[in-house]
Amino acid sequence: MTAPGSPVEALAVLADEQRRRMFGFIRRARRPVTREEVAAHAGTSTKLAAFHLDKLVAAGLLCAREESPGGVRKVGRKPKVYEPADADLQVSIPERRPDVIAEILLDAVLSHAPGDDGQAAALRAARVRGEQLGAGERARLRPGRLGPERSLTLTEALLERRGFEPVRTAPTEIRLLNCPFHALASRSPELVCGINHAYLGGLLAGLETNGVDAALAPRPGHCCVELRTDGGHSPTDAQACAKD
């Protein structure tokens, strides 16, 4: 499970010192904990503890369910218990996502055939991961048939959540002001920009966009890929995308 909001929003919930202590207590317990136990540890009322715990649940940091502690069955309503959610929060400004590249490369290693070219396997894995992301978004939204304008709008919203900082520079074009893979691209631009291009192309395919292309268009200080409805392509010198 991941936090429903951004990592920044989830971490903001922990800015409260008492809430942070409660969260630490539950993590260290290594078992489901009741709100009464949390209240006793924090030296506060059960009502106030419940307020803070609900905030932590809403942020995706804790999971809550009704359960009898220790498996002991008692008459009446089961108490609510809390335990840590499977949330791994990382914050960077601008947003960086080396984990996406790591997952793609892991997929490539696990799926490549003997004698297969490593870079080709990585590009295929990137395409597949992008298609899965786009298809998942399409299934969630069920937008029906997409024309170019609707395609750009949905893609823009999805890329905003993935840290690309998209901006509509023309009715037919979206530029990506941030490269979530910048640090890695600076080390191996040809590989990483190729992966990014395949990933975003797969995302468009998964969304089933109509008439929208992912084009390699490296420029200093931007992501190496732009989205266009005119099918135009810029030079594919991936080295340029690693420069500020």
Side-chain angles (χ1 to χ4, degrees):
M1 175 180 176
T2 57
S6 71
V8 173
E9 292 169 337
L11 291 176
V13 172
L14 294 174
D16 182 275
E17 183 178 355
Q18 189 172 55
R19 197 175 296 154
R20 194 164 59 248
R21 288 201 307 268
M22 292 178 181
F23 181 63
F25 170 69
I26 293 172
R27 284 192 58 83
R28 291 189 298 272
R30 301 289 179 176
R31 60 174 177 80
V33 177
T34 66
R35 60 182 58 172
E36 288 77 14
E37 289 177 290
V38 173
H41 172 79
T44 188
S45 68
T46 302
K47 184 176 181 179
L48 184 57
F51 169 78
H52 288 305
L53 291 169
D54 287 344
K55 290 284 187 181
L56 291 166
V57 170
L61 295 166
L62 293 179
C63 294
R65 66 177 186 276
E66 292 183 353
E67 179 184 281
S68 297
V72 178
R73 299 189 110 190
K74 295 183 178 180
V75 177
R77 185 177 179 180
K78 295 180 180 179
K80 185 176 285 188
V81 295
Y82 301 83
E83 56 189 340
D86 185 17
D88 184 11
L89 302 178
Q90 299 182 31
V91 176
S92 61
I93 301 175
E95 188 169 352
R96 303 300 187 209
R97 295 297 305 272
D99 58 303
V100 174
I101 296 289
E103 290 169 357
I104 288 170
L105 293 177
L106 181 61
D107 290 344
V109 170
L110 294 175
S111 64
H112 86 288
D116 197 4
D117 177 75
Q119 183 162 335
L123 296 181
R124 285 197 302 271
R127 175 83 181 189
V128 169
R129 180 151 304 253
E131 288 176 351
Q132 292 171 343
L133 176 63
E137 183 72 357
R138 184 174 180 83
R140 184 179 72 86
L141 296 176
R142 299 180 182 178
R145 181 175 175 81
L146 294 175
E149 172 58 31
R150 180 64 170 152
S151 295
L152 280 178
T153 299
L154 287 181
T155 306
E156 189 175 7
L158 180 55
L159 293 179
E160 179 69 35
R161 297 198 300 274
R162 306 298 291 185
F164 284 91
E165 297 182 4
V167 60
R168 189 78 68 96
T169 54
T172 61
E173 180 180 271
I174 292 176
R175 289 183 185 171
L176 307 176
L177 302 184
N178 180 52
C179 173
F181 319 125
H182 175 76
L184 296 172
S186 65
R187 294 184 58 187
S188 182
E190 183 177 358
L191 174 61
V192 175
C193 292
I195 287 174
N196 190 26
H197 185 212
Y199 175 67
L200 294 179
L203 183 146
L204 294 174
L207 277 173
E208 298 181 20
T209 57
N210 181 28
V212 181
D213 295 317
L216 269 175
R219 66 182 69 231
H222 292 67
C223 177
C224 58
V225 178
E226 292 181 358
L227 305 181
R228 302 173 181 161
T229 61
D230 58 5
H233 292 268
S234 295
T236 59
D237 179 12
Q239 295 288 340
C241 75
K243 300 177 182 177
D244 286 324

